[in-house]
Amino acid sequence: RNSVATPLPEWFSTLKMGDWPFCILHAMQGQLGFIDEAMAVFRVHEGGVWSRLGALDQAEARLALYERLVQELGKEYTPLTTRHLYRQRYELSVLHWRARNDQQARYYARQCFQTAPAVEHWKTNARLLFRTSFPGFTNLLRRAKWTLRGQTA
């Protein structure tokens, strides 16, 4: 069904991944089928466009895709896309916090609160926002926990 998604929309080339959005474009045109057996092999290697990206870059790329899908898919998909937006923003906040990128961690923690399912996860969001807003105190607690366990920071 290559003719279904041609020409590709302009936003397609702005994404850091191609196969997944390409499949979504096809799925938007009609029904899909499922064959429950291996039909191909996906090679992960250092030279791959996707696999050479770090965890932060991959998470940023997934977020860009989800943000685009919110615009492209109809309202019937809003609960699904919103849930994925929340998860991706949460993951980015945690990844930035672990990398000690406090400003970015706070930014994505706040973004979690602006995403609809955040109400369901208010305790998790509150912890995340506290952790990213007070990194010095949080790091002190982390070091104390490691010391109690006999580990080093």
Side-chain angles (χ1 to χ4, degrees):
R1 290 208 276 174
N2 287 339
S3 64
V4 172
T6 54
L8 293 172
E10 287 184 32
W11 58 262
F12 187 86
S13 63
T14 66
L15 301 174
K16 291 186 178 181
M17 62 184 82
D19 52 351
W20 194 17
F22 191 70
C23 291
I24 292 170
L25 286 172
H26 280 87
M28 291 169 64
Q29 301 301 318
Q31 293 185 342
L32 297 177
F34 175 73
I35 301 172
D36 193 12
E37 61 183 83
M39 302 295 287
V41 176
F42 184 74
R43 292 186 328 127
V44 177
H45 56 90
E46 298 168 356
V49 173
W50 182 257
S51 55
R52 73 174 173 227
L53 296 176
L56 270 170
D57 289 331
Q58 286 182 355
E60 291 275 1
R62 283 191 300 271
L63 179 63
L65 173 63
Y66 293 135
E67 288 173 340
R68 174 51 65 178
L69 291 177
V70 166
Q71 297 172 20
E72 298 299 324
L73 299 177
K75 290 188 183 237
E76 65 185 289
Y77 293 100
T78 298
L80 179 64
T81 54
T82 302
R83 189 169 54 245
H84 284 291
L85 276 175
Y86 169 78
R87 288 179 183 162
Q88 216 44 59
R89 289 171 176 161
Y90 182 87
E91 180 183 351
L92 276 163
S93 182
V94 171
L95 287 171
H96 279 291
W97 179 74
R98 287 180 183 157
R100 307 252 196 289
N101 302 332
D102 298 331
Q103 186 175 356
Q104 285 295 96
R106 268 191 305 279
Y107 170 78
Y108 286 112
R110 289 185 185 117
Q111 290 289 309
C112 285
F113 276 103
Q114 295 176 0
T115 309
V119 175
E120 302 166 15
H121 305 286
W122 69 270
K123 283 184 182 178
T124 304
N125 288 340
R127 278 194 302 269
L128 181 63
L129 196 56
F130 180 82
R131 187 187 319 170
T132 59
S133 297
F134 304 103
F137 183 71
T138 306
N139 290 335
L140 178 67
L141 289 176
R142 184 190 304 163
R143 281 194 296 273
K145 188 163 90 174
W146 285 339
T147 301
L148 290 172
R149 291 182 178 168
Q151 300 172 339
T152 57

